[in-house]
Amino acid sequence: MVAVTPQDDSRLRYAWRVCWVTSLGLVLIGIAGSTLNVALPTVVRQFHAGPMEAGWILLSFLLVNTASLVFFGRVADLLGRREVYLAGFALFTLASLLAGLSPSVWFLIAMRVLQAVGAAMILANGTVIITDAFPPDRLSQGMGVYIGTLSVAQLAGPTLGGLIAEAAGWQWIFWVNVPAGLIAFGVGAAILRKMPRRDRQPVDALGNVLLFAALSAALLALSEAGSSGLSSPVVLAGAAVFVVLVPLIVLAARRSPNPVLDLRLFGGRLLAYANLASFCNALARSALILVVALYFQAARGLGPFEAGLSVLPVPVGIGLASPITGLLGQRVSPYALSIGGAAMSATGLGALMLTADPATPYWVAGIALFVAGCGSGTFLTGNTTQVMRALPSGSLGVVNGFRVMIMNVGIVISVGLSLSVLSASVGPALRAQVYAGTLSTLSPVAVGQLMDGFQRTYAVLFAVALAGTVLAALARRRPGLT
């Protein structure tokens, strides 16, 4: 039996306080995203937004957040992780206040961009702060609680968003973030200790610009493909820009002393496959709540509140699986937990694909959603612990930013791809009805076409989840190799 010294006990007490603070930040961001997923039709109707504007209300946040994660990981290494983390809360809170005052849809999108910057400052540093605070043998427990809090946000968010949209107006979807953000800022300032800064090094500005442009082009092509087809000039131009920029990003990474994508850190088998598995899992799971919420509003005619209740099995599954996985992490390897979680996610999505029919009872879909949620919670805890243990300590900020960015790229593509596949199932005249949640008031033929779109969407996500399971199995360091 290993004796616990007072110093170890003190470190654990501080580590759990840090876990509480960073989890509060994850809840804040998670609620902000999940409330809008369910309330999107209400916002669309308020501003009479078209399909493209409706998509960009969600996608602008994901895109900017994704492209700036590594940048703020580097900035935190240089300026101080605590300072950047707290500044993220301040910016996110201010942007939420202004978003509720939006006079137009494009002003709202601009405020979503500011929210994304603040969220990137929080997300790029939360996992690193936890990793620094916890002893290595307790890290899986901390990660299990940290990731499990995401389920609290997703559990409360859809129901809260639907209730707020119906009872108080869409503006309060953003304004509820203001008191929560102020509390998170105050508690974080009181608890978090300053962390040592690294030597000042230049930030890869060119790499960030190229990465942002490439992701923007790809996302624009995806969002336009659903409404205009693959032969649209916008789709072709976006795809061409992306193809041209990818090698330039790689070239910039090789020439920069501190690249936004440091490919040298991901040449090892474990990190390469673990991050690719994380990408596939994020792509497969991220649009699930949005797609299911749209289904219950557009196809079955439910209101935002009832639609929010319908997606609860996903966050319930994440909430149950994450802390249990954290406890199992002391006996079961993160590698095995990652594979098991990825396989469960694929199973849940496969069941949704096979039962996508208007006559399917809700309990069937509910079980499938719960299994997918349990798989996500298990995979996220196992994969995050596996990656963070393998990282070099001197590059925690940058590499964790890259890790979260990879997941967010999957989220961005998941939302864009899912909306494109789904909306392509109906004619151009009906696509706006899908986003507004009013398609169920039209003919049964239109609803039937939309159900075909849901089945194809689940099939795509299921295939990606299977690929993620294979990659998770490959994410194992061979003896004698890196």
Side-chain angles (χ1 to χ4, degrees):
M1 184 174 180
V2 179
V4 178
T5 67
Q7 184 178 9
D8 293 335
D9 188 56
S10 176
R11 180 180 180 182
L12 274 178
R13 286 198 302 270
Y14 173 69
W16 284 113
R17 288 197 296 267
V18 167
C19 185
W20 185 75
V21 172
T22 53
S23 297
L24 183 60
L26 197 61
V27 168
L28 176 64
I29 295 172
I31 286 181
S34 57
T35 52
L36 190 56
N37 278 347
V38 173
L40 179 63
T42 302
V43 178
V44 168
R45 291 193 295 268
Q46 168 71 29
F47 290 112
H48 305 287
M52 177 171 284
E53 290 98 335
W56 278 95
I57 291 173
L58 298 176
L59 297 175
S60 59
F61 180 94
L62 295 173
L63 174 64
V64 175
N65 182 255
T66 298
S68 55
L69 279 164
V70 176
F71 174 78
F72 284 113
R74 171 67 68 190
V75 169
D77 284 339
L78 302 178
L79 301 182
R81 199 163 308 284
R82 175 182 181 272
E83 290 75 12
V84 173
Y85 187 76
L86 293 176
F89 280 119
L91 182 59
F92 187 89
T93 303
L94 176 62
S96 298
L97 174 65
L98 295 176
L101 300 172
S102 298
S104 68
V105 66
W106 287 109
F107 184 89
L108 174 61
I109 291 172
M111 293 304 100
R112 292 282 289 165
V113 168
L114 286 183
Q115 276 189 319
V117 173
M121 298 167 78
I122 296 169
L123 290 175
N125 296 293
T127 307
V128 181
I129 292 173
I130 286 183
T131 302
D132 182 75
F134 273 90
D137 61 334
R138 297 293 189 95
L139 181 58
S140 64
Q141 290 181 287
M143 286 299 174
V145 173
Y146 177 65
I147 293 171
T149 56
L150 178 62
S151 69
V152 175
Q154 293 181 332
L155 182 66
T159 306
L160 184 65
L163 182 62
I164 291 173
E166 287 188 350
W170 65 269
Q171 295 91 341
W172 284 95
I173 293 171
F174 299 100
W175 287 341
V176 294
N177 298 326
V178 176
L182 292 175
I183 292 172
F185 179 88
V187 172
I191 291 178
L192 295 178
R193 301 170 184 169
K194 289 189 176 183
M195 300 174 67
R197 305 179 186 181
R198 296 180 60 198
D199 295 335
R200 290 186 177 272
Q201 298 173 338
V203 174
D204 183 13
L206 177 61
N208 275 279
V209 171
L210 290 174
L211 179 64
F212 183 81
L215 290 174
S216 298
L219 187 56
L220 181 61
L222 279 172
S223 62
E224 186 68 14
S227 57
S228 303
L230 295 176
S231 60
S232 165
V234 175
V235 174
L236 296 176
V241 170
F242 177 78
V243 170
V244 170
L245 289 180
V246 166
L248 294 180
I249 293 172
V250 175
L251 182 62
R254 290 178 176 175
R255 292 188 173 185
S256 173
N258 300 288
V260 63
L261 296 180
D262 193 345
L263 303 178
R264 296 166 296 179
L265 293 171
F266 298 90
R269 175 190 180 92
L270 190 155
L271 287 176
Y273 284 119
N275 278 289
L276 287 174
S278 178
F279 167 79
C280 288
N281 187 267
L283 199 160
R285 76 171 187 271
S286 300
L288 189 56
I289 287 180
L290 172 63
V291 170
V292 174
L294 280 175
Y295 162 71
F296 280 100
Q297 292 181 80
R300 294 200 176 184
L302 298 183
F305 180 64
E306 293 88 349
L309 291 175
S310 71
V311 303
L312 289 184
V314 176
V316 168
I318 297 176
L320 289 175
S322 296
I324 293 174
T325 303
L327 293 174
L328 289 175
Q330 292 184 299
R331 297 185 177 184
V332 182
S333 71
Y335 168 74
L337 294 172
S338 297
I339 297 174
M344 288 178 65
S345 294
T347 300
L349 287 166
L352 288 171
M353 175 187 67
L354 295 174
T355 58
D357 186 273
T360 300
Y362 172 75
W363 67 266
V364 175
I367 291 175
L369 291 170
F370 179 74
V371 171
C374 287
S376 292
T378 303
F379 173 83
L380 284 169
T381 302
N383 178 266
T384 303
T385 304
Q386 183 184 21
V387 171
M388 295 305 289
R389 283 181 179 177
L391 294 182
S393 59
S395 301
L396 279 177
V398 175
V399 183
N400 180 64
F402 182 88
R403 182 191 68 82
V404 181
M405 185 193 73
I406 288 293
M407 284 198 300
N408 272 27
V409 169
I411 294 171
V412 169
I413 296 176
S414 178
V415 174
L417 180 63
S418 298
L419 291 178
S420 294
V421 174
L422 179 61
S423 62
S425 63
V426 298
L430 299 179
R431 284 169 188 154
Q433 301 288 335
V434 176
Y435 292 106
T438 56
L439 187 66
S440 61
T441 61
L442 303 179
S443 70
V445 174
V447 175
Q449 291 174 344
L450 185 62
M451 290 309 303
D452 291 338
F454 279 111
Q455 189 170 37
R456 285 195 291 269
T457 302
Y458 291 137
V460 170
L461 299 180
F462 170 67
V464 174
L466 281 181
T469 305
V470 174
L471 290 166
L474 293 173
R476 188 170 196 172
R477 184 179 282 119
R478 290 177 178 175
L481 296 177
T482 59

